Amino acid sequence: MEGTKENQYHIVMFPWLAFGHIIPFLELSKSLASNGDHVKISFISTPSIIKRLPPINPPSIKSRINFVSIDLPSVDNLPAGCEATVDLKERDQTQYLKVAYDLLEAPVEALLSQIEPDLIMFDVINCWIPDVGARLNIPTALFSGFPTTFLAFLGPPSEYNVSNSNRTPEYLTEVPEWIPFPSSLAYRYHEAVRMNRGLNTKDASGLSAGDRLSKGIEGCNFILLKSCVELDGDYLNVLKDLYQKPVIPIGLLPPTAHGSSIRSNSGDSSESSNSEMFHWLDNQQPKSVVYVSFGSEYKLASEQIHELAHGLEMSNLPFLWVLRKPEGIDESNFLPSGFEDRLIRGRGFMCFGWISQVEVLAHTAIGGSLCHCGWSSILENLFFGHCQILMPMMADQGINARFLVEKGLGSEVERNYEDGSFTRDAVAKSMRTVMVDPEGQKLRQKATEMSKSLFSNQDLQGNYIRKFIISLSQLLGKE
């Protein structure tokens, strides 16, 4: 469909400096730009991040997406050259990245006043964007990388902002009262302790995660979610009641089989290692391999790596393990004694650093995934019909895992309720349940069926984008 002067929109995308946030913003940009010339995009990020983004495909939409570099200020305690969370050696350094990010408010406002967009789409971290938009008379939309279920679980902003900073974690271990239907959404105690701390503890930036999320929700004109009615419609209705402003599902943004990986700055992956990996996959039986990955942000502790390695071996299943090495670990003790030798002779393959996850998941040898339950990774797996072995580690991931179990799309590895520890036996058992045991047949069948009817249904998902573009005039007050 071709745009006219009356229905062309210039949208600014401004995500947080984490690739788990940046890639969904990029996928949304591509989806919007693919619908004729109704939308042009200005995508704001730092020079280093823009260099690491994948090429825009299809090439026909490249002219509609303009990447705008903005330099990240230097701040104390943030190592030079760190422009994304993946660059940080210690998780505690994220707070200083937020300090630097907040200092972008003035230069971003100056940039926006020059380019005069019709809409600013922002992330949960840059919660100051609604104030900038109000000063410039530009509408703002919060595009949350968090799933609908997680936001519905958290409830209204009053439930997780600074006024509740003295509340104990136990309130997160029960299904909240504002969810009016049967639900399994609740944290385990060890997850609740970490989540409560994250929501309510102010860091070096002077804000907590709860402060940022509540400010963004309350300040924006409307909210966009990577969601669809067919998957989580009940929870969408809960959010609309809680927020009392437009909450708009824009579909699940299905991945493409090319160009969805990012480029590493660390030099820890290479074309030759990827070639060797795909050669190994080519020699495996269809739907036989378990893909094992915990995303770009989370680094497993040494004891977790060892127990997981033993569990992978005990499963007697072929596996492809993508692993980020923890900092400061003794290389000689990184993996269990003899593990790599047995790996070479046996059924596993390991990669360290970046790979093209979507290309791996698209390979016919992959049959399931042992994952950390990040929302984007979940959707990529389900796009290809892969059932999942669930091992949530942080943030929204525990809620995501409960939701997948609720939907019959995965099996969660049994963990200690208090401290979150797991055993090799529990890992092996869940892997075999999902991949080969008769009791997992319904899980495998449902993942395959829902892939076709929902997750990879391009017409269904694309219709959400088209409806959003049609509604822009009303949302922006131009009718």
Side-chain angles (χ1 to χ4, degrees), residues 44-339:
I44 301 175
S45 196
T46 66
S48 171
I49 286 176
I50 290 174
K51 287 179 182 177
R52 283 182 271 181
L53 293 177
I56 295 298
N57 282 301
S60 59
I61 67 172
K62 288 176 65 174
S63 63
R64 299 176 192 144
I65 302 176
N66 179 40
F67 292 101
V68 182
S69 293
I70 190 161
D71 292 328
L72 191 70
S74 298
V75 299
D76 293 340
N77 301 311
L78 181 65
C82 290
E83 296 185 4
T85 54
V86 73
D87 299 330
L88 304 174
K89 296 186 182 299
E90 302 292 337
R91 187 161 184 81
D92 186 61
Q93 295 174 326
T94 302
Q95 60 183 321
Y96 306 113
L97 191 63
K98 291 178 182 177
V99 171
Y101 194 60
D102 289 343
L103 291 175
L104 289 175
E105 179 172 355
V108 166
E109 181 170 353
L111 172 64
L112 294 172
S113 67
Q114 292 177 352
I115 64 177
E116 298 182 329
D118 298 295
L119 175 66
I120 312 166
M121 290 191 189
F122 70 101
D123 212 330
V124 294
I125 304 298
N126 48 348
C127 57
W128 35 267
I129 282 292
D131 292 336
V132 172
R135 292 193 291 268
L136 299 177
N137 197 30
I138 302 172
T140 59
L142 172 63
F143 175 40
S144 172
F146 294 123
T148 302
T149 47
F150 174 70
L151 294 175
F153 173 80
L154 290 183
S158 60
E159 288 294 321
Y160 49 86
N161 64 17
V162 70
S163 65
N164 288 309
S165 60
N166 294 321
R167 189 156 48 178
T168 59
E170 281 76 10
Y171 80 102
L172 294 169
T173 63
E174 298 179 354
V175 178
E177 60 185 15
W178 50 80
I179 296 181
F181 46 82
S183 172
S184 61
L185 300 192
Y187 280 112
R188 310 291 188 246
Y189 181 75
H190 67 94
E191 298 167 334
V193 170
R194 174 180 282 191
M195 192 66 207
N196 187 59
R197 187 187 306 122
L199 279 174
N200 297 308
T201 302
K202 294 182 185 295
D203 58 24
S205 70
L207 295 172
S208 67
D211 293 333
R212 290 182 185 272
L213 186 53
S214 61
K215 186 175 181 182
I217 290 169
E218 292 171 340
C220 70
N221 294 88
F222 57 91
I223 295 158
L224 293 176
L225 297 175
K226 194 174 177 181
S227 167
C228 67
V229 172
E230 294 79 5
L231 179 64
D232 50 23
D234 290 342
Y235 293 102
L236 270 169
N237 291 333
V238 169
L239 273 190
K240 291 175 182 178
D241 290 339
L242 292 174
Y243 291 171
Q244 293 297 301
K245 64 174 55 182
V247 177
I248 303 167
I250 47 87
L252 302 176
L253 303 179
T256 56
H258 53 75
S260 295
S261 62
I262 65 170
R263 304 162 189 167
S264 173
N265 264 358
S266 59
D268 54 6
S269 82
S270 66
E271 288 186 11
S272 60
S273 62
N274 280 345
S275 176
E276 186 180 352
M277 173 189 68
F278 281 109
H279 177 72
W280 181 83
L281 284 172
D282 290 341
N283 287 299
Q284 307 306 309
Q285 293 298 313
K287 303 290 283 184
S288 66
V289 176
V290 180
Y291 172 68
V292 184
S293 174
F294 289 82
S296 60
E297 305 299 325
Y298 187 80
K299 295 180 182 179
L300 293 164
S302 179
E303 60 272 16
Q304 291 176 315
I305 291 173
H306 279 231
E307 202 64 19
L308 179 58
H310 287 302
L312 294 176
E313 283 194 284
M314 288 177 60
S315 74
N316 290 319
L317 296 169
F319 61 88
L320 168 61
W321 188 4
V322 180
L323 180 62
R324 293 189 67 201
K325 295 182 180 180
E327 299 294 332
I329 191 171
D330 182 359
E331 289 285 338
S332 63
N333 194 38
F334 176 55
L335 291 164
S337 177
F339 179 79

Side-chain angles (χ1 to χ4, degrees), residues 379-397:
L379 295 178
E380 287 176 355
N381 271 282
L382 291 172
F383 176 84
F384 295 105
H386 302 322
C387 200
Q388 293 170 75
I389 304 113
L390 309 167
M391 287 187 66
M393 292 294 176
M394 55 187 281
D396 59 315
Q397 294 168 6

Side-chain angles (χ1 to χ4, degrees), residues 377-450:
S377 288
I378 284 172
L379 295 178
E380 287 176 355
N381 271 282
L382 291 172
F383 176 84
F384 295 105
H386 302 322
C387 200
Q388 293 170 75
I389 304 113
L390 309 167
M391 287 187 66
M393 292 294 176
M394 55 187 281
D396 59 315
Q397 294 168 6
I399 298 301
N400 299 346
R402 312 295 113 76
F403 180 61
L404 279 196
V405 173
E406 191 176 285
K407 287 289 185 179
L409 293 168
S411 172
E412 189 169 354
V413 174
E414 185 177 349
R415 310 272 283 277
N416 182 288
Y417 183 81
E418 296 294 327
D419 65 13
S421 60
F422 58 88
T423 67
R424 60 196 69 179
D425 299 275
V427 171
K429 180 181 178 181
S430 285
M431 288 177 66
R432 293 197 63 81
T433 295
V434 166
M435 293 294 293
V436 293
D437 287 350
E439 63 186 288
Q441 178 59 32
K442 288 185 178 180
L443 298 177
R444 297 188 288 273
Q445 183 177 345
K446 190 163 187 180
T448 300
E449 291 173 351
M450 289 191 69

